[in-house]
Amino acid sequence: GKNKATPPAPGEAKVFKIAVIPKGTTHEFWKSIHAGALQAAREQGVEILWKGPQKEDDRAQQITVVEDVISRGVAGIVLAPLDDRALCRPVQDAMREKIPVIIIDSGLQGKDYISFVATDNYQGGVLAAKRMGELLQGQGRIFLIRYQEGSASTTERERGFLETVQKEFPGFRLLVKDQYAGSTTESAYQLAENLIGRFPDVEGIFCPNESSTFGTLRALQESQLAGKVKFVGFDSSPKLVQALRDGHLHGLVLQNPVKMGYLGVTEMVQHLRGQKIPELVDTGVYLATKENMDTAEIKALLTPDLSILD
Amino acid sequence: MDHNPADTLSLEMRRITKHFGATFALDDVNFRLRKGEVHALLGENGAGKSTLVKIISGAVRPDRGEMHLDGRPYGPTDPLEGRRSGVSMIYQELNLAPHLTVEENIMLGTEVHKAGFLKRRDVRKKVRETLEFLHHPEISLDIPVRRLSVGARQVVEISRAIMDRATILVMDEPTSSLTQEDTERLFQVIRKLKDEGVSIIYISHFLEEVQAVADSFTVLRDGKNVGSGPMAEAGLEELIQLMVGQKMRDLFIRTERRRGEALLSLKNLKGKNMQEPLSLELHRGEILGLAGLIGAGRTETLRTIFGLDPLEEGSIEVVGRPGLKTKPWSRIEQGMGLLSEDRQGEGLAISRSIMDNVTLSRFAPYKRFGMLRVKKRAQAVAGWIDSLKIKALSPAQPVSSLSGGNQQKVALARLLHQEADILLLDEPTRGIDVMSKSQIYEWMSQLAAKGKALLFVSSYFPELLGVCDTIAVFYRGELVAVRPAREWGDESLMAASTTGRA
Amino acid sequence: MKRKSKLRALINLLAPFLGLILVLVIFSSIPDVQSRFLRAANLKSVATQSVIVALGALGMTLIIISGGIDLSAASNIALSSVVTAYAINAGLPPLLAIVLGMATGGLVGFINGSLITGLRLVPFIITLGMMGIARGVAKWMAGNQKIDAPLTWVNELMAKSPQPSWLLLAPGVWLMIFLAVATAVLLRYTVFGRHVFAIGSNEATARLCGVRTKRAKIIIYSLAGLFCGLSGVMEFSRLTVGDPTVAVGLELDIIAAVVIGGGSLSGGEGSILGSMIGVFIMSFLRNGCTMMGWPNYIQEIIIGVIIVAAVSLDQIRHRRSA
Amino acid sequence: MKRKSKLRALINLLAPFLGLILVLVIFSSIPDVQSRFLRAANLKSVATQSVIVALGALGMTLIIISGGIDLSAASNIALSSVVTAYAINAGLPPLLAIVLGMATGGLVGFINGSLITGLRLVPFIITLGMMGIARGVAKWMAGNQKIDAPLTWVNELMAKSPQPSWLLLAPGVWLMIFLAVATAVLLRYTVFGRHVFAIGSNEATARLCGVRTKRAKIIIYSLAGLFCGLSGVMEFSRLTVGDPTVAVGLELDIIAAVVIGGGSLSGGEGSILGSMIGVFIMSFLRNGCTMMGWPNYIQEIIIGVIIVAAVSLDQIRHRRSA
Ligand SMILES: Nc1ncnc2c1ncn2[C@@H]1O[C@H](COP(=O)(O)OP(=O)(O)OP(=O)(O)O)[C@@H](O)[C@H]1O
Ligand SMILES: Nc1ncnc2c1ncn2[C@@H]1O[C@H](COP(=O)(O)OP(=O)(O)OP(=O)(O)O)[C@@H](O)[C@H]1O
Ligand SMILES: [Mg+2]
Ligand SMILES: [Mg+2]
């Protein structure tokens, strides 16, 4: 690959092809990123190649995708790494082939990329813990339902939640903190159902991502506990928004995936055009509650405009 | 015992007992085999012959009893130990790995190697010599065994056993799929081995064969040893008396019958695996025998008629009953039925019960509102078990737990139960004991008398001559002669099938 | 003598349940969860959790007995659940949506069967291909997202506390029980059932005996597809959304349930009762381990060990009786 | 006459590659990626990507030919990669870490083989149990996290651009090639190889002919375990971390590769060349689809279709020649 040796001068008519590589392709979260990326691509007049690992959340396959995209030849790569370490080498390979890389969503070790655009996941967990503390006045029996072993961003959220609870709310008793919901809604549903069967007196639950939140929500609804148990989740989907409105969910920590996708691509284009870009961008975490869900800011995050994808 | 005391014992078995669940296959059996003798093991189907020899080879372990081999205690825990001790065996249910080639099967377990790497060159020469010695040079060393006809498979199995250089060679019905010609060859081999000092146990339901080749005999009945002695002193009558506990009746009983109109008419028939087209007519009330050597093409003819092999040219007409398709199900609707020569591979679903096997081709009598009447079916099958004297505990017993001959009877029961008008029988008496055979011949005769038509493939000329009305001879895939049975004799049949001239 | 034979009859009756009993006994004797494990509420929720795998296992039992395998079962479930959601979302009456969902499953099964008999390829390959195809189509239809359908009575099918409360169990559970009995009867008391066993035991024999093996196989795979379709409807009912990524890897659970229940991958063996027991062994294991609050890795290890133990036990019993 | 037979010889030589050639031709004729698809750099990266599945497939080929199956292969790979990472992290010399990783794989395989022969259970059940156990142990060892081990030369094994650049391909690729040839020789030219076929073709016969079937099976599973162990080492080398959740579901890919390559799940059939072709068919398919930038669902559908097509093609050829 010697063809993309120098970034073309600004204003050149050449259409860049930029690969955007998510962790998976079938969640609302990634669709939002896709929408943001597409928006940016339209504005900047570039093309994007949207390609995730074939198996959701499979880091070995994501490495393969990065390698294949390098083989194919693109102007730049915007990557949401499934692993902060495993993806280092393919990213290095890309840089060696003179393909710049911007990291979004989750961190990557080393410094082989040009910019990092992400949510502070730990902060997200902290936000959730604080909300839980507020809901239960810092007293009560709660669950932390984890997402999946080895998933870095959710582990950070879980850590943020756990540490905040231990530090600030000694009145909480964690009934469960080592159970993993697994990657599908169904597995989360079953886990939550079984946990509720075991501890029917639970008072608060936190889940660190959309699938585990939704699965747990279904279990609560089925056990007639929805609304009674204080429930804080993460990320958004139409059903979760509905649950928030119905009072089945008492808080939803939100990221800004549209912005993440948008900034990822925009910065890449700017870099390719020779402009300077910031090394770190925090896209922020927000807490949606029944009270604030209709404010313009939160509403845009809860139900992002994805019409661009159609 | 009245044997010559100078003869040394090769194998002695004492008080051997073996039971499978409620079945006592062997009950306190004593057995002695002298060095360099051919010892016939006789008995009805299910008498325990195969079980006894499997104990010798190490494939089955006895519940009780002891064995001595060349004077030393012997108790193989697996076939490897048996083989290492010099016991080699031809199993009744052919014991071949279908995906492996002829050469690989023959050498299985005794591969010649250097540091684990196969040395094939010398081996191939020896294998080829053995096959030539058995007069079957046409069997290629490199085709997978599953592509061979049953007869050829038996030759492969025999080759393996005689290449083994064993001290005891056990042959469990080695000739059940062989022709007279090949049987003769085998006897030559047996005599040669005997001269070399090999002791041979020979199991067969062909008593003339046994008398021709064996030096002494042991008869088993219901798992008990009911008599042993030198062959020369025993008459046929006496052996049968020992085996079944009653007097032998006529082997071939013919019922009065009349040849009716043509029922099956084959015109220029040629199937995918057949070499030459042939034309033939089968009439009501007729038993038409097909004679020939291994690979003469009889099986393929039957398979083509029945729709198991694709028809390439010519026509098959069942008079008055046009078929929808040339498929087995359509043939069955036309009133045809086939008994396969390969009971393990094709004839029977051996993991299923006797009941399922017997009724598989005709469920109609047991259906009511789409449901099976389980009791009625079990009763009917129990009836078949009785009338065919199948040695089994219940209709629900899996076929795999029956003795070889009894399995064959199940296959036969299925065809009889089907009540077909045209019966295609491929070696139907394979492995069946003398008394049952005569019963089967009688049935065939009765069926013909009832106006059914039978096509009877057999490699055993006496039964063809004894049962058939007409006999056709195949030679190398070609139909060479069709004549009334009375115009054939043993010699002329043999001549026709070995030379093709009649 | 008589008493003894009665005892033996009882043992024989219970024998197939040995593995399941083992699992139940283990968890009911751990003081920690004892009191909750065998409660009606827990049994209810285990039953509801089992419906999806159980429906899949009914069809899989037919297929495995006939000597085949269906790797596309889980994808088929996902596709059917997406179709159902799509139809409800499009405003079709719920009943029609259910029919469409099941029909989708049946169609996938029919294609499987037709390709297997038509191309004469091993079921493993055809259904492996179909596994990808059905999953891909599901994602496509759903636009890579969950389909949010409005709540209807379909979602009541899998409600743990069913509406007319005299039902006791979710309608889906009753449906599962009914279909299990029906399939068991089909296998045991109909000609078709006998043909399924014959094909699996020895296909050549079945053909020789006039069984129309091709037709029978197409029926078998189509039936299994219908079961998957229904399972997909139940999945939708449970999740209230049509999720194309649901049930990934579930085919292995389904196949495992059948094999644990005595089904043989080389065909000719298996039973509906066995498969259902297999399903419940797995469900109770997961349920019990979660209740114990063991970390997931311990759960995985224990489940692995108990699967082997349960099947060994069953095997020993079989060998005894043989 | 002569020319014709030479042509035929060429066709016969190429015949097993038919499916692979089909895939290559398809992608090389799409203008969009044409120029890049067959480039050395891309071939290199496909080769590297294939190593992990290929190593697993070598062992799986042995197992499948012998009539067995190994569902624990992927878990075993994960466990071995965790052990390797753990050892390196603990400061052991890299070579020792590799040996430990492989030994772990071999041990798992040995346990599989011993249980299968000892308990006389079907391989499906034992390896299903082991699948959970090995995965659980891996997660346990790694403390539910990935293990970040310091970079060593182990991580160079799977570097797409190998260090002494005259190597051209990653050392792991060379290792794979070497082991594939060695295993092919083992299967074809040794007594052991012949016994593997015999056991798969008819285990009873093998036993009756004096093959020590139990011992042979234990060796087969242990060997396959060693291959998985090595595959785990390679996985670690590629990921640079020991990840207990890696390779979930990979067992199906591995089994599929063997079956696509002509292995029969009922035993007695299969070849190393075939399995390797199966591996590369899948790798090139994924690679090509990614290069095309097709959405994943389209990719899934296309891969499904092509798997069926490739195997059909092979089948037709076989039937012709038979
Ligand atoms: N594996 C088994 N399980 C149950 N019963 C068995 C088994 N093997 C043999 N038997 C029974 O043992 C008895 C003796 O069988 P065996 O095969 O030794 O008879 P055989 O004398 O060889 O008969 P044939 O002439 O028909 O071959 C039969 O009643 C048979 O049903
Ligand atoms: N499936 C097959 N594939 C290839 N060759 C076969 C197949 N079946 C049989 N043959 C060969 O075809 C020839 C004819 O066999 P066929 O079985 O018709 O003979 P037969 O007269 O019935 O003799 P027998 O059954 O006693 O061996 C034999 O040489 C046999 O080896
Ligand atoms: Mg016998
Ligand atoms: Mg024949």
Side-chain angles (χ1 to χ4, degrees), chain B residues 50 92 172-173 403-404:
Chain B
S50 297
Q92 180 177 15
D172 194 352
E173 302 195 27
S403 79

mmCIF file of all heavy atoms in Angstrom, chain B residues 50 92 172-173 403-404, ligand 3:
data_model
loop_
_atom_site.group_PDB
_atom_site.id
_atom_site.type_symbol
_atom_site.label_atom_id
_atom_site.label_comp_id
_atom_site.label_asym_id
_atom_site.label_seq_id
_atom_site.Cartn_x
_atom_site.Cartn_y
_atom_site.Cartn_z
ATOM 1 N N SER B 50 -22.282 -69.130 17.446
ATOM 2 C CA SER B 50 -21.506 -67.896 17.267
ATOM 3 C C SER B 50 -20.999 -67.390 18.602
ATOM 4 O O SER B 50 -19.869 -66.912 18.717
ATOM 5 C CB SER B 50 -22.356 -66.819 16.602
ATOM 6 O OG SER B 50 -22.725 -67.235 15.322
ATOM 7 N N GLN B 92 -19.590 -64.259 11.451
ATOM 8 C CA GLN B 92 -20.780 -64.539 10.659
ATOM 9 C C GLN B 92 -21.309 -63.262 9.996
ATOM 10 O O GLN B 92 -21.593 -63.230 8.813
ATOM 11 C CB GLN B 92 -21.857 -65.130 11.579
ATOM 12 C CG GLN B 92 -23.138 -65.466 10.865
ATOM 13 C CD GLN B 92 -24.129 -66.112 11.833
ATOM 14 O OE1 GLN B 92 -23.959 -66.052 13.039
ATOM 15 N NE2 GLN B 92 -25.143 -66.736 11.297
ATOM 16 N N ASP B 172 -17.112 -68.901 10.911
ATOM 17 C CA ASP B 172 -18.543 -68.916 11.242
ATOM 18 C C ASP B 172 -19.339 -68.679 9.960
ATOM 19 O O ASP B 172 -19.432 -67.549 9.468
ATOM 20 C CB ASP B 172 -18.830 -67.832 12.285
ATOM 21 C CG ASP B 172 -20.198 -68.003 12.931
ATOM 22 O OD1 ASP B 172 -20.968 -68.856 12.466
ATOM 23 O OD2 ASP B 172 -20.482 -67.262 13.891
ATOM 24 N N GLU B 173 -19.857 -69.729 9.414
ATOM 25 C CA GLU B 173 -20.609 -69.693 8.158
ATOM 26 C C GLU B 173 -19.870 -68.936 7.055
ATOM 27 O O GLU B 173 -20.354 -67.942 6.534
ATOM 28 C CB GLU B 173 -21.989 -69.080 8.387
ATOM 29 C CG GLU B 173 -22.765 -69.868 9.433
ATOM 30 C CD GLU B 173 -24.235 -69.521 9.429
ATOM 31 O OE1 GLU B 173 -24.747 -69.118 8.387
ATOM 32 O OE2 GLU B 173 -24.858 -69.679 10.485
ATOM 33 N N SER B 403 -29.559 -64.034 16.861
ATOM 34 C CA SER B 403 -28.491 -64.739 16.147
ATOM 35 C C SER B 403 -28.698 -64.527 14.649
ATOM 36 O O SER B 403 -29.784 -64.154 14.202
ATOM 37 C CB SER B 403 -28.540 -66.220 16.483
ATOM 38 O OG SER B 403 -29.553 -66.858 15.740
ATOM 39 N N GLY B 404 -27.609 -64.742 13.909
ATOM 40 C CA GLY B 404 -27.641 -64.441 12.484
ATOM 41 C C GLY B 404 -28.809 -65.091 11.757
ATOM 42 O O GLY B 404 -29.537 -64.449 10.994
HETATM 43 MG MG MG E 3 -24.346 -67.606 14.407
#
